[in-house]
Amino acid sequence: MTRFARSPGVVQRRVAGEMVLVAVAPPGGGAGDFFVLNETAAAIWEHLDRPRSEGEVARYLIEKFEIDEAEAVSDVRTFLEDMRRHAVITDHGQ
Amino acid sequence: MRELAGPTIAGIPLIHEADGLVFLNPMLDREWNGGPARHPPLRIRHVERAPSRDGLVALVSAPPPQGTVCLDAAGELAIFADVVDRRGAPQLLRTVRRGHEYEIHYAHGEAADHWQGYWARTAFAYALTGRGLGVLAHAAGVRLPGGGVLLCPGASGVGKSTLAALLAEDLGPGAEVLSDDRVALVEESGVLRAYGTPWRSAAGQAAPGAGPLAAICFVRHGGPPALRPLPTEAATPKLLKALMLPFWSSSEMATLLERLDTIVRAAPAFEFSYAPRPGAGRWLADALAAERAA
């Protein structure tokens, strides 16, 4: 089971309540990319305070937002794919 | 090394230095007289020397003249601008002392005549973040009659200069254009102040004034004038796009995000759509005053 983790080269901060991520070099080549996360994405990011699997994060969302499993899995998968493409999230092995 | 005192911008005196073959262009001083100095000087050394990529690690590339942003062996910023002078030769900015001293290498000394203003702006932007003082915004800044500064961020062509000119025209001597292209945002004792800079659009105005940041307005062309409040989640990414981000340094970026938090909390953000006609500046100033009163 693949687990996912935050990349070390990302600076995060809540800006007036909104979670902002900025990719800082190195690594990954995405330096300068920035993201202002919506509530769901911010919850996923905050839950990745240590390496976790897709299922673990989805279960967290189900509990936090009282959404169904399909929606939670879809949200987590979309976020992880997007953030991995920008090297903001990395695979952390099994 | 010859030395030329440049203007003082946001309290930072610029000092240009040059070796024998580089001509120092006093254009920054010609119409812009700076303001009082409160911070140590920023030294920008212009040197005729073949730019070298040795020891540089490329981070990200942008179209000329920005070039490739790199880190040197000490982890400091360097910018290799690929092709910028008339002979197609590159130029290089290197950090000598972060926030305080930068060196520009020109393959041909005469290129400095045209490019030193660009490099001064670049070095100043990185000195602001390097010292943790603030950030340079790609924005127009207009001090309104009440003293607060209206910031209009945006890329070239969005209408920053037009709106700044309309505000100045409609409001008369009570308003002052601090710059219609680059504004320095500096936090001082918990107050976010917007400073004028000499960097303006071709036909634009600039003044060495400053004032507390009062509002942020993103401009859209078209239709009758309308002012719409922008929620934080919409304003933050738009604002980030207009700031010179120090994305090579975690510590500088963390400080900048702190400043961004202050900026976003200090000033309400709006979207202003309008057709560029006389009276639009007055309409906007009145609408902002009504928003403040509400």
Side-chain angles (χ1 to χ4, degrees):
Chain A
M1 183 174 52
T2 305
R3 292 189 302 159
F4 303 93
R6 300 171 182 173
S7 294
V10 176
V11 176
Q12 61 165 41
R13 188 185 166 91
R14 287 248 176 216
V15 172
E18 307 294 330
M19 177 62 83
V20 176
L21 310 180
V22 185
V24 174
D33 289 345
F34 62 81
F35 309 89
V36 180
L37 304 185
N38 63 24
E39 197 184 357
T40 307
I44 298 171
W45 175 260
E46 283 174 333
H47 198 55
L48 287 169
D49 55 349
R50 62 180 178 80
R52 295 183 195 273
S53 69
E54 186 182 287
E56 280 178 283
V57 180
R59 279 194 293 281
Y60 173 71
L61 287 193
I62 292 165
E63 212 166 277
K64 184 174 175 74
F65 295 111
E66 296 179 349
I67 54 177
D68 64 35
E69 189 179 349
E71 187 182 350
V73 168
S74 164
D75 284 349
V76 172
R77 199 162 286 169
T78 304
F79 178 82
L80 291 176
E81 278 173 12
D82 201 22
M83 294 294 111
R84 283 167 77 206
R85 199 167 52 245
H86 289 94
V88 168
I89 297 280
T90 54
D91 294 5
H92 198 265
Q94 303 301 301
Chain B
M1 233 9 126
R2 284 166 294 118
E3 202 174 281
L4 177 77
T8 296
I9 306 166
I12 302 176
L14 268 61
I15 297 175
H16 293 275
E17 297 176 355
D19 72 5
L21 295 171
V22 171
F23 171 69
L24 282 177
N25 186 343
M27 69 179 179
L28 285 178
D29 279 335
R30 205 164 49 206
E31 298 165 46
W32 206 87
N33 297 314
R38 286 182 310 286
H39 300 292
L42 164 63
R43 290 186 173 271
I44 305 166
R45 194 171 303 141
H46 306 267
V47 181
E48 186 168 43
R49 181 182 302 167
S52 166
R53 286 178 185 271
D54 288 354
L56 301 183
V57 177
L59 296 180
V60 64
S61 290
Q66 285 96 332
T68 307
V69 176
C70 308
L71 288 180
D72 66 16
E76 294 292 346
L77 168 74
I79 302 173
F80 197 92
D82 296 289
V83 178
V84 287
D85 81 10
R86 281 186 208 149
R87 298 198 221 168
Q91 297 173 13
L92 175 71
L93 175 144
R94 297 207 73 147
T95 303
V96 180
R97 188 159 69 97
R98 185 193 290 196
H100 295 269
E101 208 172 326
Y102 296 87
E103 201 165 87
I104 318 298
H105 296 176
Y106 304 90
H108 309 292
E110 79 268 15
D113 186 19
H114 182 70
W115 286 101
Q116 62 194 254
Y118 169 77
W119 287 118
R121 190 184 80 197
T122 304
F124 175 80
Y126 299 148
L128 269 187
T129 51
R131 296 182 186 196
L133 285 175
V135 62
L136 188 66
H138 195 181
V142 180
R143 194 163 59 181
L144 299 174
V149 174
L150 172 66
L151 189 79
C152 304
S156 302
V158 300
K160 301 188 297 292
S161 313
T162 308
L163 181 59
L166 281 170
L167 281 163
E169 191 182 313
D170 287 351
L171 303 178
E176 183 179 37
V177 179
L178 302 179
S179 166
D180 66 349
D181 201 49
R182 291 294 196 286
V183 175
L185 300 172
V186 176
E187 194 174 337
E188 291 173 354
S189 311
V191 176
L192 210 291
R193 287 174 72 77
Y195 279 88
T197 76
W199 301 298
R200 64 199 142 196
S201 70
Q205 303 172 56
L213 183 64
I216 302 170
C217 222
F218 296 94
V219 180
R220 273 182 64 173
H221 275 296
L227 189 70
R228 183 172 71 91
L230 270 189
T232 311
E233 66 266 26
T236 301
K238 280 170 169 279
L239 190 57
L240 270 166
K241 273 187 198 162
L243 303 179
M244 294 279 274
L245 300 177
F247 51 81
W248 49 89
S249 160
S250 298
S251 60
E252 283 187 42
M253 186 59 80
T255 305
L256 186 133
L257 290 183
E258 265 183 62
R259 295 280 176 277
L260 183 67
D261 187 55
T262 310
I263 294 169
V264 173
R265 289 175 188 278
F270 301 93
E271 185 177 78
F272 177 52
S273 49
Y274 77 112
R277 295 194 192 99
R282 165 61 62 191
W283 190 96
L284 174 59
D286 290 346
L288 287 170
E291 285 283 347
R292 264 197 308 276

